[in-house]
């Protein structure tokens, strides 16, 4: 009988175990190197930024959930509100008196999220709506229901996300899944709800990620990563697209007089199901090195500030400011240079309208020149 100890194992098994141990160590090292590269990337962004504009609109670093003004009479839609940043956002908004619609997959998880929110706030006005952002028919159906039933919509929080599936997954519409769920579904949802959002002069808060600055680029020649799939690059692209969408939406709102405020946020590196449930070494690091990550309630602060604070401004990008924007006090996040490319933003917008089967009101050529640069 072969024993479990290395002493009594055969040379072949000892060799296999040594190889497995080295692979595990190499995986951890690779993950830590990646985190380090993200940090260095953020340092570079800070070094290259100009301080004047940052200081002008810098929020109070101590702002937190306790500072949310009364949201009585206001209505919010939060995608992916059954866990993580979305759940914490929905919970805080309900506690502040808002009517909250949680839109996500899985009615059972939705019911549990509502029960948990009502346990903390017994009189919470919260409901669940089924939404699969990877299926544009589901997106359009939700928007149609809400346009018919909601009297107003004061805030849309485009929060739901999918992170780095190891194999390339395809949405119901034949698109790379991270692009579809993180970005295009939210693009379509915002377009479909625009009349309701304009009626209330609402805020649209779209969540990006520090991954947008870590090698993020829009692969216009292969948006769906059909030639060669790279999970991390596809995720970075989707989150860069979210940031570009938020900035472009504000430019177009200003140019056309839509009256909405579009704001981007990111949660730093927060401990949520998006991270903790991942497999492999990436999941191992996230589960076993908690000091690298901040809790989900802290990660939700930039989103809640953008959605509710009177000082929040359209066209801004908020996030944590400590430890290379991975955690810490609230502040203005650094916008990567790629997100400022107006030509690519416009191309992505037009492609997104075509892929999603949706359209925003067209801008006149004069309006486009006045509001876009």
């Amino acid at each position: 009988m072969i024993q479990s100890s290395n002493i009594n194992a055969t040379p072949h098994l000892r060799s296999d175990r040594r190889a497995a141990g080295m692979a595990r160590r190499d995986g951890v090292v690779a993950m830590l190197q990646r985190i380090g590269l993200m940090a260095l990337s953020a340092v570079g962004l800070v070094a290259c930024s100009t301080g004047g504009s940052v200081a002008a609109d810098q929020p109070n670093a101590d702002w937190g959930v306790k500072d949310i003004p009364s949201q009585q009479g206001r209505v919010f839609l939060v995608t992916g509100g059954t866990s993580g940043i979305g759940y914490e956002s929905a919970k805080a908004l309900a506690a502040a008196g808002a009517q909250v619609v949680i839109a996500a997959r899985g009615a059972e998880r939705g019911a549990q999220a509502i029960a948990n929110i009502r346990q903390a706030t017994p009189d919470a006005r919260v409901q669940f709506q089924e939404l699969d952002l990877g299926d544009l028919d589901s997106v359009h159906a939700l928007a149609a229901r809400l346009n018919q039933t909601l009297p107003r919509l004061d805030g849309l929080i485009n929060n739901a996300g999918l992170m780095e599936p190891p194999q390339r997954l395809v949405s119901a519409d034949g698109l790379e899944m991270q692009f579809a769920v993180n970005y295009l579904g939210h693009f379509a949802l915002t377009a479909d709800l625009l009349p309701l959002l304009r009626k209330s002069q609402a805020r649209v808060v779209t969540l990006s990620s520090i991954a947008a600055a870590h090698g993020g680029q829009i692969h216009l020649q292969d948006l769906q990563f059909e030639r060669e799939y790279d999970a991390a690059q596809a995720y970075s692209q989707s989150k860069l697209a979210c940031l570009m969408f938020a900035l472009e939406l504000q430019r177009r709102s200003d140019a056309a007089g839509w009256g909405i405020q579009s704001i981007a946020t990111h949660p730093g590196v927060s401990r949520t199901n998006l991270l903790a449930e991942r497999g492999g070494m990436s999941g191992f690091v996230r589960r076993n090195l908690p000091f690298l990550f901040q809790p989900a309630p802290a990660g939700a602060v930039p989103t809640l500030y953008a959605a509710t604070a009177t000082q929040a401004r359209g066209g801004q990008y908020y996030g944590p400011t400590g430890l290379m924007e991975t955690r810490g006090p609230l502040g203005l996040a650094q916008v990567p240079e790629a997100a400022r490319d107006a030509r690519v933003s416009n191309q992505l917008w037009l492609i997104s309208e075509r892929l999603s089967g949706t359209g925003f009101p067209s801008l006149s050529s004069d309006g486009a020149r006045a509001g876009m640069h």
Side-chain angles (χ1 to χ4, degrees), residues 258-326:
W258 295 342
I260 64 174
Q261 292 186 71
S262 174
I263 305 173
T265 67
H266 77 78
V269 181
S270 300
R271 188 172 176 81
T272 69
N273 289 343
L274 186 66
L275 300 175
E277 291 180 354
R278 295 179 65 202
M281 282 302 157
S282 180
F284 172 84
V285 170
R286 285 165 168 82
R287 287 190 299 273
N288 295 283
L289 300 177
F291 63 89
L292 293 173
F293 314 104
Q294 63 179 355
V301 166
T303 292
L304 290 166
Y305 178 85
T308 68
T310 56
Q311 303 89 343
R313 295 289 179 265
Q316 296 289 14
Y317 184 30
Y318 298 107
T321 59
L323 195 61
M324 286 70 75
E325 294 193 3
T326 60

Side-chain angles (χ1 to χ4, degrees), residues 79 133 157-160 180-191 245:
T79 68
L133 284 160
I157 299 180
N158 291 323
N159 161 83
V181 171
N182 298 350
Y183 167 67
L184 193 67
H186 286 124
F187 179 95
L189 182 62
T190 306
F245 167 63

Side-chain angles (χ1 to χ4, degrees), residues 31 67 73 103 142 150 167 233 258 264-265 273 311 315 318 332 360 364:
M31 184 62 202
D67 299 305
L142 171 66
L150 289 182
Q167 282 81 40
Q233 286 188 23
W258 295 342
T265 67
N273 289 343
Q311 303 89 343
Y318 298 107
L332 284 173
F360 287 79
S364 67

